[in-house]
Amino acid sequence: MGVRGAWEFLAKRNINGIERKNLQSFKCNEKIYVEVTGTFFRILRDHFWLCDETDVEKLTVATKGVLAEISTIINRSDYVLCFDGHRTVEREKGLELHLNLQLKTQDKLWKALGEFRDKKVKKKSDCNNLLCLSKRLFRISETLERFFADKCREDGWDVYEGIGEAEVAIGLMDGVVVTQDSDMLFYPRVIAVIKPLNEGGYALYRKDEILQKLGITDAAWTALGILADNDYDIDQFTNDNFYNPEAYVRGIYGTQFENNYNEMNSCLSTIHSSRCAVTLAGFIREHLEAFIFFMNKKKGKSVQFNAYRNSYRIFVLQKEEPVRSKHALNRLLSIRPQEVVKVIMDSDSKWKPVY
């Protein structure tokens, strides 16, 4: 998910990055880090979605297929493949949101399976609907990610594994990141982000160019990422009913991000006049506290700095608290893709998938 509204906000400001068809056409002097599970999720899903985590032979075949595809996009010498470690306390909000969405997909799949069994004539479209829903349930588990990372290393790739999130580990480096998540734009040490585009191709966003066009400092920009709704905390200064799904309007997060940007500019003078902080982390905190004070006064709230604790730890300090156990909602995700394929293969449908 990243920082919600960030990409929309940049687009509104006509900051669309430098677009190229091929990833390797970007010539960067810095090291390029690839957030693997996000950047290559579709490729990973297409090869691994029918694999059992205990079937080493199938996992190995799937790995070779993934690496064959990835090798047509990037090369070993210029890119570092970055992987997640354990889930973390800080990212519980984002993980819970993702798992709840998957549970809704699972409900749709249960319903579709029941309707499929009851149909006298089972069409190809019915089968494809089941396959599509089961693919949407695909998750990259820690076990699968470790297996794939080890195989990449054996194959000669430069591999970097985080203690927690890959993004946080990358945030400690001075370099360029390939990812679809906008949150990497807000890590102070990240120089640029290369975003894979839905329509094909890639767009390079350089941090210094963003700051220049927006007329703000790196500290103010990182503060905006912390204040926005993200994987770690919610935006505390949204309008009433903002988080009501029934009240959702397309572009609402981009508009809210722009509102925060404008409010940040309104309170910058109180920060620049003091400059007590001697570190970037301290200066970012000054921006946050000035914004919170300004907005509390404007909206009659009493929000405290601690409301953004998780985001500050991640974006500024790169601190995480790993969690070794699985999230409780994982136990509710019970349908395996192999079972869905078996239902189709055992049915009287004239069309059968080939796997």
Side-chain angles (χ1 to χ4, degrees):
M1 183 177 74
V3 174
R4 301 186 80 167
W7 293 126
E8 294 92 332
F9 168 73
L10 292 176
K12 282 184 181 180
R13 295 277 166 164
N14 292 318
I15 302 173
N16 297 306
I18 301 169
E19 293 189 16
R20 295 283 187 275
K21 289 185 178 181
N22 299 313
L23 185 54
Q24 295 188 67
S25 63
F26 292 110
K27 304 303 178 185
C28 302
N29 296 323
E30 305 86 2
K31 202 78 171 176
I32 303 178
Y33 300 90
V34 182
E35 193 273 296
V36 173
T37 58
T39 302
F40 298 127
F41 179 81
R42 182 197 60 78
I43 297 174
L44 290 163
R45 181 199 64 198
D46 290 350
H47 287 276
F48 282 111
W49 75 293
L50 289 176
C51 290
D52 189 300
E53 289 185 357
T54 62
D55 191 333
V56 176
E57 185 177 346
K58 279 192 176 181
L59 289 173
T60 302
V61 171
T63 296
K64 290 179 179 178
V66 173
L67 290 177
E69 281 201 57
I70 289 178
S71 297
T72 66
I73 302 170
I74 59 176
N75 58 59
R76 289 179 179 82
S77 59
D78 298 329
Y79 296 83
V80 180
L81 301 182
C82 301
F83 295 89
D84 294 326
H86 298 284
R87 72 183 181 92
T88 64
V89 170
E90 289 77 13
R91 202 179 182 278
E92 285 294 276
K93 169 183 174 282
L95 177 60
E96 188 163 322
L97 176 63
H98 175 67
L99 289 173
N100 276 316
L101 288 173
Q102 288 211 308
L103 286 172
K104 289 181 180 179
T105 299
Q106 180 173 261
D107 289 342
K108 291 179 182 178
L109 181 53
W110 278 123
K111 182 180 178 182
L113 281 167
E115 292 172 348
F116 181 82
R117 290 189 177 101
D118 293 339
K119 283 190 174 183
K120 292 182 179 180
V121 179
K122 299 172 177 63
K123 299 178 182 179
K124 178 180 178 180
S125 59
D126 299 321
C127 300
N128 280 331
N129 181 47
L130 293 178
L131 296 174
C132 179
L133 287 170
S134 64
K135 275 193 173 185
R136 283 169 56 186
L137 284 176
F138 173 74
R139 291 170 298 146
I140 301 172
S141 66
E142 287 187 18
T143 302
L144 175 57
E145 197 160 358
R146 293 288 73 70
F147 181 91
F148 183 62
D150 289 342
K151 290 298 181 182
C152 288
R153 194 179 285 108
E154 290 174 13
D155 199 49
W157 290 86
D158 192 355
V159 170
Y160 187 70
E161 295 181 76
I163 296 173
E165 287 187 88
E167 287 103 330
V168 179
I170 298 168
L172 292 167
M173 312 294 177
D174 297 306
V176 178
V177 187
V178 183
T179 181
Q180 285 188 322
D181 282 350
S182 56
D183 54 0
M184 292 308 310
L185 284 169
F186 297 90
Y187 286 83
R189 297 182 66 173
V190 171
I191 296 168
V193 167
I194 300 175
K195 178 190 177 188
L197 303 174
N198 292 332
E199 62 272 21
Y202 303 85
L204 171 68
Y205 293 80
R206 284 207 165 269
K207 178 86 72 65
D208 55 356
E209 293 175 2
I210 292 174
L211 299 180
Q212 183 180 10
K213 289 181 178 179
L214 295 178
I216 59 174
T217 64
D218 197 1
W221 176 247
T222 298
L224 285 171
I226 293 170
L227 292 162
D229 188 277
N230 53 51
D231 287 331
Y232 315 103
D233 297 304
I234 66 170
D235 188 329
Q236 298 290 328
F237 295 104
T238 57
N239 294 326
D240 294 339
N241 220 31
F242 184 86
Y243 287 106
N244 182 352
E246 295 180 3
Y248 176 77
V249 187
R250 184 177 176 83
I252 190 173
Y253 287 99
T255 300
Q256 179 61 21
F257 192 99
E258 185 162 25
N259 291 342
N260 286 350
Y261 167 76
N262 292 332
E263 300 291 10
M264 177 67 77
N265 281 327
S266 298
C267 67
L268 282 178
S269 59
T270 63
I271 305 166
H272 292 177
S273 61
S274 60
R275 281 192 180 256
C276 297
V278 294
T279 64
L280 179 58
F283 199 29
I284 293 170
R285 179 158 183 159
E286 278 191 12
H287 280 73
L288 292 169
E289 290 181 338
F291 183 93
I292 292 168
F293 178 82
F294 178 83
M295 293 300 291
N296 277 338
K297 189 174 180 180
K298 182 174 181 176
K299 295 206 169 190
K301 292 191 172 187
S302 56
V303 177
Q304 301 296 312
F305 173 81
N306 203 47
Y308 299 100
R309 174 185 178 275
N310 290 331
S311 300
Y312 184 79
R313 280 172 56 82
I314 293 296
F315 289 118
V316 181
L317 305 178
Q318 281 85 59
K319 298 290 186 183
E320 301 172 285
E321 184 180 338
V323 178
R324 304 291 175 175
S325 60
K326 289 186 177 182
H327 195 285
L329 290 178
N330 271 301
R331 301 189 189 99
L332 302 178
L333 291 166
S334 56
I335 302 183
R336 298 168 66 245
Q338 298 94 323
E339 295 167 356
V340 176
V341 173
K342 188 175 187 304
V343 168
I344 297 173
M345 299 302 288
D346 292 347
S347 74
D348 57 2
S349 171
K350 291 182 179 179
W351 182 85
K352 308 284 185 178
V354 179
Y355 293 111

